[in-house]
Amino acid sequence: MRYFLLGFLLLGLVVVSVAGFRGGITRRPPIELFPDMDRQAKLRPQSAHGFFPDGLGSRLHPDQTIPRSQPVLVAGTPVHPFEDHPFNTGYEPGTTNFVQHSPVPVSETLLARGRERFAIHCQPCHGAAGDGKGPTTKYGMVVIGNLHDPRIVQQPDGEIFHVISEGRNLMQGYAANLTAADRWAILAYVRALQLSHLATLEEVPEGLRATLK
Amino acid sequence: MSDIFPKWTNKLPGYVILGGALLGTAVVAGTWYYFTPKYTRVGYQPLQPVSFSHHIHVEQLGMDCRYCHNGVESSYHSNIPSSTTCMNCHNQVLKDDPKLALVRESAAAGKPIPWVWIHKTPDYVYFNHAVHVNRGISCVECHGQINLMDEVQHAQPLSMTFCLDCHRHPEAFLRPPEQVYNLNWKPDDPTRQLAQGRRFLEEWKVERLEHCSACHR
């Protein structure tokens, strides 16, 4: 019996020393104990798949085709993402002139959405105030546009939309990361920021003037 | 007769019972402890092709989760950012750092970076990110304090019990929508969290989905 107990204890020690404890850091992929249908021969987004020669599970749409889409309501009219419409391009249709005014009517929800998206996508570089002094400037971002620069304030709405979408100079475009509606919302918020920066004391409602210092 | 069954055999049944009981307990305890995602999944920290640190990007730079994972609010799949998203900053920051060589190549050639997938639910589980984050379930509930991780590791078991614990008592986990992406947020005190969670449950019509086809289709 003494030997049995000794052996039993030893077995326990061996199991624990080989298998370790719960939550231990490991580089080895998790063991799937009962792998019934855990991994199926189907596509999952952004995963490799051997069916295609280049191995990409998420496919780009082929040349000369248009992805399936739902129209977006812009001021009451449905606009498809492939249409030559200022909402998609920032240009007057058929020309290379930027639209002077945003095709999206400004509302409180639009501004709130713009503010939220600005904080996510623009603030790291342009800063919360839009002055080009975001946190990334400390880590080597060199040229960041100050959104209160008169050069930018005077640009038409369409041009700023175009810069958000396609980028300019060192800034890359955000068309792939933000929907057109969100980019127009950001534009509306940028305009609000600029207005707040350029406002004079006379433009502030009288009752609120004393709160500013 | 005494030669056929020597005296020690009197104790044999006791030994067999005791040994059997000990072995049985060990097998049950071992299975309970090891045959669970709490052991098999938690702690998985694979080597990634690029040593990306969430800690630096979130805590030091104050970036929002959605700068990179921009599809999380509108899709069931929370996307890994394309390498062009990395290049938004890294075309200037650490522009020639060898650690980022793979990112630069990937962005230039349009070839994805082979990131290792860590939080992998079985293919018969249809988890929807958008539904969860838009109703006040924070990233932190399933992914742990990823904002503090220099290297991502699997922090929660993501077992079926893990899902059901929350599906049965969502009020303990629902948080104000503006705090979903603030992974450091803690409720002021747990009793208020329950009251607040119950209110969100009512207001947003959150269902306690426990039927099979909520997750399995």
Side-chain angles (χ1 to χ4, degrees):
Chain A
M1 195 61 198
R2 196 174 301 143
Y3 294 112
F4 172 78
L5 281 178
L6 211 65
F8 183 77
L9 212 67
L10 210 67
L11 186 79
L13 275 176
V14 166
V15 168
V16 170
S17 58
V18 169
F21 296 100
R22 279 180 185 177
I25 303 288
T26 172
R27 297 285 191 205
R28 275 167 303 154
I31 315 147
E32 277 160 356
L33 292 164
F34 305 103
D36 324 285
M37 297 175 80
D38 271 4
R39 305 291 156 225
Q40 302 166 16
K42 67 175 181 183
L43 281 175
R44 289 187 67 146
Q46 295 194 303
S47 299
H49 201 283
F51 181 77
F52 301 102
D54 58 4
L56 301 183
S58 294
R59 309 302 299 164
L60 295 165
H61 65 93
D63 282 345
Q64 315 275 323
T65 61
I66 293 168
R68 279 176 58 150
S69 58
Q70 290 284 326
V72 182
L73 273 187
V74 181
T77 36
V79 177
H80 276 280
F82 50 80
E83 275 178 65
D84 181 17
H85 188 281
F87 177 76
N88 294 324
T89 59
Y91 291 111
E92 296 286 359
T95 69
T96 51
N97 302 330
F98 291 115
V99 285
Q100 206 60 42
H101 297 293
S102 164
V104 184
V106 177
S107 63
E108 210 178 324
T109 34
L110 184 83
L111 279 175
R113 178 76 182 172
R115 180 182 191 166
E116 189 193 37
R117 297 296 119 172
F118 184 91
I120 298 169
H121 293 276
C122 315
Q123 193 174 309
C125 296
H126 289 289
D131 53 5
K133 292 183 186 133
T136 52
T137 47
K138 278 183 262 158
Y139 300 94
M141 290 297 274
V142 258
V143 222
I144 294 171
N146 173 358
L147 303 179
H148 304 298
D149 188 331
R151 179 178 63 84
I152 295 175
V153 176
Q154 283 159 16
Q155 281 172 357
D157 285 358
E159 185 168 3
I160 296 182
F161 173 82
H162 180 79
V163 174
I164 301 173
S165 311
E166 307 298 328
R168 179 162 292 178
N169 301 333
L170 280 170
M171 174 179 157
Q172 300 198 111
Y174 281 77
N177 299 30
L178 288 160
T179 61
D182 279 346
R183 280 174 268 146
W184 285 112
I186 288 176
L187 167 96
Y189 182 66
V190 167
R191 287 302 193 208
L193 272 182
Q194 290 173 339
L195 204 62
S196 73
H197 207 75
L198 297 168
T200 55
L201 193 62
E202 283 69 48
E203 285 173 311
V204 180
E206 231 166 293
L208 294 170
R209 281 180 204 171
T211 62
L212 298 173
K213 267 280 161 254
Chain B
M1 283 308 270
S2 64
D3 285 326
I4 298 174
F5 293 109
K7 202 156 190 190
W8 63 267
T9 52
N10 288 343
K11 288 184 180 165
L12 200 60
Y15 286 157
V16 169
I17 289 168
L18 189 68
L22 271 177
L23 274 177
T25 314
V27 168
V28 169
T31 313
W32 167 79
Y33 191 80
Y34 288 121
F35 283 43
T36 156
K38 283 179 192 158
Y39 169 74
T40 57
R41 300 207 73 92
V42 176
Y44 176 42
Q45 188 181 55
L47 263 185
Q48 297 287 0
V50 180
S51 57
F52 173 82
S53 164
H54 280 85
H55 187 229
I56 290 174
H57 287 82
V58 180
E59 292 299 302
Q60 213 166 313
L61 294 171
M63 285 171 72
D64 192 283
C65 310
R66 293 164 288 178
Y67 184 91
C68 301
H69 306 287
N70 51 47
V72 71
E73 292 164 302
S74 49
S75 166
Y76 77 96
H77 173 68
S78 172
N79 61 309
I80 302 287
S82 66
S83 35
T84 49
T85 303
C86 312
M87 293 306 280
N88 284 343
C89 294
H90 288 293
N91 61 359
Q92 296 170 60
V93 181
L94 301 178
K95 171 161 151 284
D96 301 307
D97 197 293
K99 281 186 280 186
L100 290 165
L102 195 62
V103 180
R104 286 191 295 271
E105 276 167 35
S106 158
K111 288 247 164 66
I113 300 170
W115 298 107
V116 183
W117 192 0
I118 301 174
H119 299 87
K120 208 172 186 178
T121 50
D123 280 357
Y124 46 76
V125 174
Y126 292 79
F127 179 81
N128 188 323
H129 277 89
V131 159
H132 287 85
V133 293
N134 293 342
R135 297 278 176 83
I137 294 296
S138 171
C139 324
V140 76
E141 309 297 353
C142 300
H143 294 289
Q145 287 244 288
I146 213 154
N147 56 326
L148 305 178
M149 294 182 195
D150 277 320
E151 252 188 291
V152 179
Q153 71 169 79
H154 206 306
Q156 298 287 358
L158 305 190
S159 59
M160 192 159 130
T161 328
F162 176 80
C163 298
L164 280 172
D165 280 347
C166 188
H167 273 228
R168 285 176 180 141
H169 306 286
E171 64 275 10
F173 303 93
L174 293 172
R175 57 170 75 189
E178 66 275 11
Q179 301 295 350
V180 166
Y181 302 95
N182 174 9
L183 305 199
N184 291 327
W185 183 85
K186 294 267 183 316
D188 305 336
D189 75 273
T191 45
R192 267 191 53 200
Q193 164 62 36
L194 280 182
Q196 175 182 270
R198 280 197 198 100
R199 209 185 69 228
F200 292 149
L201 210 63
E202 294 262 312
E203 281 174 13
W204 307 334
K205 300 188 170 53
V206 176
E207 294 175 82
R208 293 186 171 86
L209 293 181
E210 287 177 47
H211 56 82
C212 312
S213 64
C215 309
H216 307 295
R217 284 161 204 170

